[in-house]
Amino acid sequence: EVAWIEVAAGVNPAAVPRLRGHDPSAQLFIMDFLGPAQHRLWKSELREGRADPSVAAAVGARLVQIHAATAGKPQIAQRFPTDAIFHAIRLAPYLEASALRHPDVAGALQALVQVTAGTHEALVHGDVSPKNIMLGPDGPIFLDAECAWYGDPAFDLAFCVNHLLLKGLWVPAASAAFARSFEALVASYAHGVNWTEWPVLQRRAARLLPGLLLARVDGKSPVEYITDEAQKNTVRRVALALLAAPVAQLGAVLARWNQELQT
């Protein structure tokens, strides 16, 4: 986590809290306190239905800035030899656990594991969730990068927009605003992709997203706000259909999700 903060601060100091001290032997570090007077938790804003597309666009822009600055940098990759850790705390409890619950799409989920684990392009945060993003006077601030890994940036993108889909079930009245925020984040992120072809990266993200959707109801780390079985079945219908018939664009995932919410 400290290493990720250090690297990200070198890209954009406003994107992370300032480190004040670090004791590797004790596995402790000190960072600035982000007080509530000037900082809002993005998850709390979304819970209240305040889904502002300009905020989502800022998150996408800042995320892709870190990915672009670290892409193709062997010296950064060497600081994050965390493939086994990432597999253990992300790929296994999310995708592999879901494969056990849904044998009909187990092959598709295992293929996602292989593609994601085998892609090493840029520095990945690994937990780009609204609960880990503070909104400060200088823009979004990313927290809790204990999953940091030099790997597939499509994971961070898919992981983040996944929450914007799911929160449409949490706060149905704001589902249209969540959809606009999804589109804004993706567009902003796409604008900053300069280390690879955007359609290639988007394809990986669009295929991964249904797997992450399914994981948040049937994996080992379900979201706490979807407890109703009917809502879980909504997620399952969309995820299973897209795992069986993958799409290449994130907008196609959003369209399928919106269609399901409107039925």
Side-chain angles (χ1 to χ4, degrees):
E1 183 169 1
V2 169
W4 186 90
I5 292 174
E6 290 174 343
V7 173
V11 177
N12 184 343
V16 292
R18 183 181 302 179
L19 289 172
R20 296 294 186 175
H22 178 215
D23 184 345
S25 62
Q27 297 186 338
L28 297 172
F29 70 92
I30 301 170
M31 66 182 188
D32 277 354
F33 173 66
L34 305 177
Q38 290 189 304
H39 301 86
R40 297 163 292 139
L41 185 65
W42 196 24
K43 181 177 180 179
S44 298
E45 291 292 295
L46 297 178
R47 176 66 185 92
E48 298 303 317
R50 293 190 288 269
D52 184 343
S54 68
V55 170
V59 171
R62 193 153 283 185
L63 181 62
V64 76
Q65 183 184 30
I66 296 169
H67 289 166
T70 59
K73 300 291 178 61
Q75 68 275 24
I76 295 178
Q78 290 169 7
R79 296 187 66 184
F80 297 89
T82 55
D83 290 63
I85 295 172
F86 191 83
H87 184 276
I89 62 179
R90 279 293 173 265
L91 301 180
Y94 283 72
L95 302 179
E96 292 179 356
S98 299
L100 294 175
R101 294 282 303 273
H102 296 278
D104 288 351
V105 293
L109 289 165
Q110 291 294 349
L112 291 174
V113 170
Q114 293 174 8
V115 170
T116 304
T119 303
H120 297 89
E121 281 189 0
L123 182 58
V124 172
H125 179 286
D127 198 4
V128 184
S129 163
K131 70 179 176 63
N132 291 330
I133 299 174
M134 300 293 290
L135 307 177
D138 296 320
I141 302 169
F142 297 104
L143 308 174
D144 295 343
E146 70 272 11
C147 301
W149 167 61
Y150 198 88
D152 189 356
F155 184 90
D156 275 349
L157 175 58
F159 196 91
C160 189
V161 296
N162 187 36
H163 284 275
L164 294 175
L165 297 181
L166 293 170
K167 283 172 177 54
L169 292 176
W170 196 24
V171 191
S175 60
F178 290 131
R180 290 192 294 272
S181 292
F182 180 111
E183 293 172 327
L185 195 154
V186 171
S188 179
Y189 185 94
H191 185 73
V193 174
N194 61 8
W195 68 93
T196 187
E197 295 296 326
W198 164 240
V200 174
L201 191 151
Q202 180 180 206
R203 181 177 182 271
R204 293 202 309 273
R207 295 193 167 204
L208 181 60
L209 179 51
L212 294 177
L213 264 173
L214 188 63
R216 300 322 295 261
V217 295
D218 287 333
K220 291 186 177 180
S221 182
V223 290
E224 82 285 358
Y225 51 82
I226 297 180
T227 56
D228 179 76
E229 199 62 25
Q231 290 185 328
K232 290 183 180 181
N233 285 333
T234 294
V235 176
R236 291 176 183 127
R237 281 192 295 271
V238 174
L240 293 172
L242 290 171
L243 286 166
V247 296
Q249 295 182 334
L250 288 163
V253 179
L254 177 62
R256 178 65 181 83
W257 179 258
N258 287 339
Q259 180 185 15
E260 183 66 33
L261 293 188
Q262 293 165 8
T263 58

